[in-house]
Every structure is written in C-alpha cells, then in structure tokens.
Amino acid sequence: MSALLDSRPIVTAVKAALTATLGADRVFEYGDVPGADDNPGSLPRIFALPSIERRFNPALRFSAETDVVAWRLSVRVVGSTVDEARWALFKVAAALNEQSLPVGDTFTTPMQFESDQAPESDDGRYSAVATYTFAT
C-alpha cells in the first residue's frame, strides 16, 4: 500500500493536465516559480501552483477497499490582474473538473469540485484557489 501514498505521480498527472490548458510556461510547483526568489518583478504574468494532500474519507473507514486513498487537490492561480486570475481559474476547471487522470497503470476517480476562492490581492498580484477531491 505504500506506493498508493506517494503523491509524486499524482502531481505529475495534475501538472500534465494543467499544462495542456494553461501552457508549459505557466504550471509550477511551490519553490520552482521562475523569478520568485531572485526578482519578483520577473514572475510569469499568469501561473498555477498545484498541491496534493491526503485526506480522511469516512466512507472508506470501514470499507473492504483498503487499497483506496482519498486526496485533496488545491490549485492556486496567480495573475497580474483580477481578470487574469479568473481566466486561470477557468482554465483549471476546464482541465480538471470531472476528469480522471492517468497515474501509473491506473486512473484517479473523477475530480470532484469542492470549492473556489475568488481572486484577491496577493503581494501586488491577484491569486485564487480551486479545490478538488478524488481517490486513487
């Protein structure tokens, strides 16, 4: 079961889905955004930052399906304007909503929309968050 607990293959699948709609130069992991440390003025105009965490699923607690792991995916989008952040949030929804992503030799369950956070001011830019839940 330990392979099921590794979020790295899931992050790879999520980044591939987001890259297909946002573009290769707009999807990063935290800590890997170009210009973030050296020169904040050189950050990409629009970008997305996915993060994955395991979550408790009471439906699986007493289930015979012990090979199922529940996950929560959060995607923070950043834009130079509110409209850019909204556009990126729309692109995230287009890439993920109800999609099953390939992870190794299997697929995730369909991504279930959980919530959106509207764009708000964030260090001179605007950011928003979309959250989805799924299982592997």
Side-chain angles (χ1 to χ4, degrees):
M1 171 132 90
S2 62
L4 294 172
L5 303 177
D6 188 356
S7 65
R8 292 173 298 175
I10 300 168
V11 170
T12 299
V14 167
K15 286 173 61 178
L18 293 173
T19 296
T21 60
L22 285 165
D25 58 342
R26 292 187 170 152
V27 181
F28 305 100
E29 290 192 52
Y30 284 91
D32 292 337
V33 181
D37 294 328
D38 318 351
N39 181 6
S42 67
L43 288 169
R45 283 190 61 87
I46 302 169
F47 59 95
L49 301 161
S51 63
I52 302 283
E53 54 193 20
R54 281 192 311 145
R55 69 182 186 93
F56 174 71
N57 186 343
L60 298 176
R61 186 173 186 180
F62 302 106
S63 169
E65 295 185 61
T66 57
D67 291 353
V68 176
V69 178
W71 300 92
R72 176 171 286 116
L73 164 65
S74 298
V75 182
R76 178 167 300 279
V77 296
V78 179
S80 297
T81 66
V82 170
D83 193 52
E84 286 177 353
R86 285 184 183 134
W87 176 85
L89 205 55
F90 163 72
K91 290 299 205 175
V92 166
L96 299 176
N97 199 45
E98 298 296 328
Q99 297 300 311
S100 294
L101 302 181
V103 177
D105 58 352
T106 188
F107 284 84
T108 66
T109 60
M111 299 280 165
Q112 297 296 306
F113 172 77
E114 186 175 275
S115 66
D116 274 346
Q117 175 192 6
E120 57 185 34
S121 182
D122 187 355
D123 281 338
R125 293 179 170 245
Y126 296 89
S127 70
V129 178
T131 306
Y132 295 84
T133 57
F134 63 97
T136 55

